[in-house]
Amino acid sequence: MSFKVAIIGRPNVGKSTLFNRLAGRKLALVDDTPGVTRDRRIHPAKLYDLAFEVIDTAGFEDAPAASLPGRMRAQTEIAIGEADLIFFLVDAKAGLMPDDRTFAEVVRRSGKPVVLVANKAEARGSQGGFLESWELGLGEPVPISAEHGQGLPDLREAVIATLGEARALGEDDEAEGEAASEVLIGEDVVDPDAEPAYDETKPLRIAVVGRPNAGKSTLINALIGEERLLTGPEAGITRDSISVDWDWKGRRIKLFDTAGMRRKAKVQEKLEKLSVADGLRAIRFAEIVVIVLDATIPFEKQDLQIADLIVREGRAPVIAFNKWDLIDEPQRVLAELREKTERLLPQVRGIQAVPVSAETGRGLDRLMEAIVRTHRVWNSRVSTGKLNRWLEGILAHHPPPAVAGRRLKIKYVTQAKTRPPGFVVSCSRPDAVPQSYLRYLTNNLRDAFDMPGVPIRMALRTSENPFAGRAKKRT
C-alpha cells in the first residue's frame, strides 16, 4: 500500500459508512446508534485511482482512561500514530459540537496531514454545519455524502493536494500479491491416486468464537503479543468481526475476532443481531474455528450449539479451555473436560481440546500446534485404492443390513473433496441405507485413516442401470 488513512471523529458522524464506501464492501457494522464501532479495523481501499489502506476507528469520546470509552479512545490514538493521513469527519447536518473542537486539537497536535471531511452534506440544512467546520482551522472542508457516494472526486483531489502526487499515486503491487495468495475453500480432488504432502507455508484463516466474556479478544492479543483488540471485564465489548494479520513461525495467519454469541432467544436488539451475523460470516470464511470456552463454566448449551454450527458449515473446530489460571485442581478438571468433550461432541470425535490462559499466556504454543494438526487432517486425502481395501474388510466384518427383505449392496468408495474430507459411496439403494450404518462407516473410516476432530461428509450414490425402463423381450 502506498499510504495509510485513519478516519477520525466523534461518534455517529459516519466513519464506518465512509470506511465501507472506500473498502468497496460492507465490512463495518453501521447503525444509527452512536458508538457502534469499538475496535480499529484495517482494510485495503480505493478512491478512484488512489490505492491505500484505510483504518476505521471508534468515535472519539472524552472519558476516563479506565472506562470502556477511554480504552476505545486509546485504540483511536494508536490508529492516529499508525496513519500517514487523517480524515477528520464532522457532521455537516448537526453542525460543530464541543467534542469536535476538542478532538481537532488532538489531531492537530499529532502533526499528521489532515483532510477535513464534512459528511452528510446531502441533507437539508447542512450548509450551515459545512461553513461552521472552517472554525476548526484544519483547512478547507470537503463536503461529501458517504451514504450516497457524493463528493468523492473532491475528496480524491484533497488527498492528492495534501500528500502530493508522487505519494498519493504510488503503485499497488502489494495488494495484487495479497489477492493472489487467497486460499480456496472446498478444493476438488484432482488426482484420484495422489496423496499430496501438507503445505506448511500456505496462509491460514482462523476464526475465534464463543459466548460473551469467554476471553476471545484477550486470547488473540496474547497470541500476537500486542493490545490490538479492545478488552475488559464487560461482556459483549466486541461487535465487529475484526481481522488481524499475524506471522507465526514464518506462516501467514489471518485471525478473526468475533462478537460473543448468546442464545437466539436472548438476542433482541438489532445491533446484536448484526454482530452475530457478522460472526457467522467469519465462520463461513475461516478454515479453522477456535471455540473459546470458559473453563470455569464450560459446555453450556450455547457452546454445544456453536460447535454444531461449525461442524455443519464444514469448518475444522479446535477447543480452547480459557481461564485455566483460575482452576484449582487442573488434572482432575482436565480429565472431566476431556470426557465431556468426547460425550457431548460425538460428531467430531477426537477433537483437539487445549487448556490455555490468555491472561498469563499459558498453553498458547500447544493451541497453535493443535490448530496446525487439525488443519492437516482437514486437508487430508486418501487414495481410492486404500479406501476400497478398507471397505472390503468393513463389509466382511459387518455387512449392510437387509431392508424390506433385500440385501443392500455397497460397491466402492472414493474421496471426492477435501476441506472437509468428503467421500462418495456407491451402493444399490441409497435411500434405504440406515443412518446408523452410515455413522458406523464414518467412525470406522475416521479411525482407520487417522482423521480425528474434523467433520466428515459421506454421500451415497447409485450407478445408473442401463437396462432400467426397458421391457423384457420374449424369446
Side-chain angles (χ1 to χ4, degrees):
M1 296 296 170
S2 54
F3 58 96
K4 192 175 285 188
V5 175
I7 304 175
I8 307 297
R10 61 178 175 80
N12 216 29
V13 294
K15 297 182 297 299
S16 294
T17 306
L18 179 58
F19 173 87
N20 288 341
R21 174 70 60 180
L22 295 173
R25 296 165 57 191
K26 290 188 177 180
L27 296 169
L29 296 184
V30 176
D31 194 69
D32 293 336
T33 310
V36 172
T37 303
R38 286 174 172 172
D39 288 288
R40 69 186 194 275
R41 181 198 290 270
I42 307 173
H43 197 271
K46 277 208 165 187
L47 183 59
Y48 298 104
D49 55 339
L50 305 184
F52 52 93
E53 280 192 325
V54 63
I55 310 174
D56 188 24
T57 64
F60 246 151
E61 294 187 68
D62 199 3
S67 65
L68 180 57
R71 299 198 300 275
M72 290 161 59
R73 175 172 173 166
Q75 289 285 321
T76 303
E77 289 171 346
I78 292 172
I80 292 175
E82 291 178 352
D84 302 304
L85 176 66
I86 294 171
F87 286 171
F88 188 83
L89 255 66
V90 296
D91 187 339
K93 182 180 176 182
L96 284 190
M97 300 289 179
D99 282 351
D100 289 321
R101 293 182 169 84
T102 302
F103 302 135
E105 185 62 32
V106 173
V107 170
R108 190 183 293 107
R109 283 200 304 268
S110 71
K112 297 292 177 76
V114 181
V115 173
L116 179 60
V117 183
N119 191 28
K120 307 183 186 179
E122 84 287 359
R124 183 180 299 173
S126 62
Q127 186 67 19
F130 168 72
L131 294 173
E132 273 186 12
S133 60
W134 280 92
E135 300 175 16
L136 296 176
L138 296 176
E140 182 178 355
V142 181
I144 71 163
S145 169
E147 179 71 27
H148 303 290
Q150 298 173 7
L152 296 184
D154 295 334
L155 184 60
R156 173 191 176 275
E157 294 303 321
V159 171
I160 294 175
T162 305
L163 289 179
E165 287 193 14
R167 182 75 186 278
L169 299 172
E171 294 294 325
D172 191 25
D173 296 331
E174 187 181 338
E176 294 177 8
E178 183 177 344
S181 66
E182 288 292 325
V183 178
L184 296 177
I185 301 213
E187 295 176 347
D188 290 336
V189 175
V190 179
D191 187 348
D193 295 316
E195 296 183 29
Y198 178 71
D199 189 353
E200 297 275 1
T201 62
K202 272 192 174 182
L204 186 57
R205 298 166 69 93
I206 303 172
V208 181
V209 304
R211 287 183 290 114
N213 218 25
K216 301 178 291 297
S217 300
T218 309
L219 177 63
I220 293 179
N221 285 343
L223 285 171
I224 65 177
E226 63 173 283
E227 291 297 315
R228 172 65 181 80
L229 300 169
L230 195 63
T231 60
E234 304 92 346
I237 289 178
T238 303
R239 283 174 172 163
D240 292 271
S241 293
I242 304 294
S243 65
V244 179
D245 292 313
W246 179 43
D247 188 87
W248 181 71
K249 295 185 177 180
R251 185 169 190 175
R252 283 178 54 209
I253 292 177
K254 189 178 281 287
L255 293 164
F256 290 87
D257 186 26
T258 62
M261 298 180 185
R262 298 194 298 163
R263 286 193 296 121
K264 192 172 181 180
K266 289 189 174 183
V267 179
Q268 301 293 337
E269 295 182 5
K270 174 189 171 186
L271 194 54
E272 188 172 358
K273 289 180 180 178
L274 292 173
S275 298
V276 172
D278 208 23
L280 296 177
R281 191 159 48 246
I283 290 174
R284 295 186 185 102
F285 281 99
E287 298 167 271
I288 301 290
V289 181
V290 177
I291 309 168
V292 181
L293 304 186
D294 187 336
T296 60
I297 45 170
F299 292 116
E300 297 282 316
K301 184 180 179 181
Q302 180 66 0
D303 295 326
L304 300 176
Q305 289 179 337
I306 292 172
D308 187 58
L309 168 69
I310 293 164
V311 173
R312 283 189 279 113
E313 287 291 340
R315 306 302 97 189
V318 173
I319 293 177
F321 293 117
N322 194 24
K323 306 184 183 180
W324 201 248
D325 52 308
L326 303 179
I327 302 299
D328 293 330
E329 302 178 45
Q331 293 299 326
R332 180 186 62 80
V333 173
L334 184 59
E336 290 178 359
L337 291 177
R338 292 198 187 283
E339 184 274 327
K340 283 185 178 180
T341 303
E342 293 294 319
R343 176 166 49 85
L344 297 173
L345 296 172
Q347 66 271 46
V348 278
R349 199 169 68 187
I351 183 173
Q352 297 284 322
V354 183
V356 300
S357 171
E359 196 67 36
T360 65
R362 175 183 173 180
L364 299 183
D365 287 337
R366 283 171 48 199
L367 176 63
M368 289 306 302
E369 290 165 4
I371 287 171
V372 172
R373 279 197 302 272
T374 302
H375 192 251
R376 187 190 299 270
V377 173
W378 193 62
N379 283 273
S380 60
R381 159 82 182 126
V382 184
S383 68
T384 303
K386 287 183 179 179
L387 283 171
N388 285 288
R389 285 193 292 274
W390 161 80
L391 184 62
E392 286 179 12
I394 289 294
L395 296 179
H397 179 260
H398 187 180
V403 178
R406 295 167 57 196
R407 176 69 65 182
L408 295 170
K409 293 180 182 178
I410 295 181
K411 302 172 184 178
Y412 68 89
V413 60
T414 186
Q415 186 170 357
K417 290 272 189 182
T418 57
R419 307 160 58 89
F423 301 88
V424 175
V425 179
S426 177
C427 60
S428 56
R429 290 181 293 154
D431 296 340
V433 177
Q435 285 298 312
S436 58
Y437 193 75
L438 199 60
R439 283 196 300 271
Y440 168 73
L441 290 178
T442 302
N443 290 334
N444 270 276
L445 187 145
R446 189 190 296 279
D447 293 338
F449 297 105
D450 194 22
M451 293 185 174
V454 299
I456 291 178
R457 303 282 191 256
M458 193 78 75
L460 299 172
R461 298 284 186 272
T462 182
S463 55
E464 293 184 5
N465 183 357
F467 301 102
R470 293 188 183 182
K472 188 175 182 180
K473 294 182 179 179
R474 292 173 178 263
T475 54

